[in-house]
Amino acid sequence: MRVKYFIYLISSYCILLLGCNNDNSKVGDIKKEQAVKEEKKNSIAVLNSCSYYNKSNAEAVYFFNPEIEAEHTIEKIMKLVGLPSNFTIKRANVENAMATIIQTDSGTFERFILYDQNFMNSVKLSTGNDFSQWSILAHEIGHHLSGHTLTSGGNSHKQELEADEFSGFVMYKMGATLPQAQSAINKFCSAEGSLSHPPKKDRLVAVETGWYNAKNSSPNTNGISGGSTSDVLIYQGKVVAMIIQSTKSGDNTHNKIIGKNPVCKYIPSSKKWQITYTDEKGVFQMMELSFVKDTEDGAVMKDTYGARYNVTNGVNADGILFCQMLDIGGDALMYISFEGLKRK
């Protein structure tokens, strides 16, 4: 009797155990189905696309909110070309960066720029400057503005060179030297090219063409470089904007207003820029920069404390004095842009 009772208990436990396993299996299936639905919800179908290098074979991508700097860069580029910023920019699981047209849930077609954050970080790390990242976003904007994403097919090499030329044009407007405007292509693009993208040498020429087109179409009668004039030049502006990117702590501060009413004075006898402004606390500040090197593509200067800066072409034709602080290794730590400057 006891044996029969023991067998009954064992049988009941096995049936219960199997029943629990079946329930867990069903729960696991439900979770998998929910995960698939969630992936589909956050994915977007890619129609016509143009990548920075290599042909994109992605039919659907998953996207995330962009970094603040990327949004700020898109807005600044569009402001420089005088057009509204009507692109949606997203971080995504793409190989590098791409411009694409996407059909939304409402059935409308919208212009997107997608980029891989790890790729962008590697671009900055390899080139040692932010202009390289910005040139890639400018390249993708060039694809959209040139209508390359409206239809599939076409001469892809020609389209890539057109986008590169636009990138070079914008980089000059943003204050980049020619080497800085070309740095991303130099580091990441193939010397031989591919079926979808032209060889590196052609792309470098396209960027150079755009850079010089911007320079020649925006002559600065006040003298772009500090060494090109014998007159004392005084510029007065509206705001002082600063971007800090610490390579040591990883902290990032973007577009912080650190002062108002800057006055930028170039004194040719001493080859110095004297920059004064009122900081956010109402305290008068002065920054003096002395030339270490002055070339057509820009100048290296140092302040009274010994910190070195790359000051691109002094005040350019768009009224911007852009200062990039350099450390011993040449990596950018701080960027200060004095905007809206007009000669007094």
Side-chain angles (χ1 to χ4, degrees), residues 157-222:
H157 280 209
K158 181 175 180 292
Q159 292 175 352
E160 293 302 327
L161 294 177
E162 288 174 351
D164 285 331
E165 186 172 332
F166 176 80
S167 174
F169 184 92
V170 168
M171 285 303 99
Y172 175 83
K173 292 285 189 179
M174 294 185 76
T177 65
L178 181 56
Q180 288 171 334
Q182 296 173 319
S183 57
I185 289 176
N186 261 322
K187 285 287 185 180
F188 290 91
C189 294
S190 167
E192 296 78 20
S194 64
L195 291 176
S196 60
H197 289 71
K200 179 190 294 186
K201 62 180 180 64
D202 294 343
R203 299 191 66 175
L204 291 174
V205 170
V207 172
E208 181 178 4
T209 299
W211 193 88
Y212 275 106
N213 282 344
K215 182 175 182 178
N216 295 333
S217 64
S218 303
N220 190 336
T221 56
N222 292 329

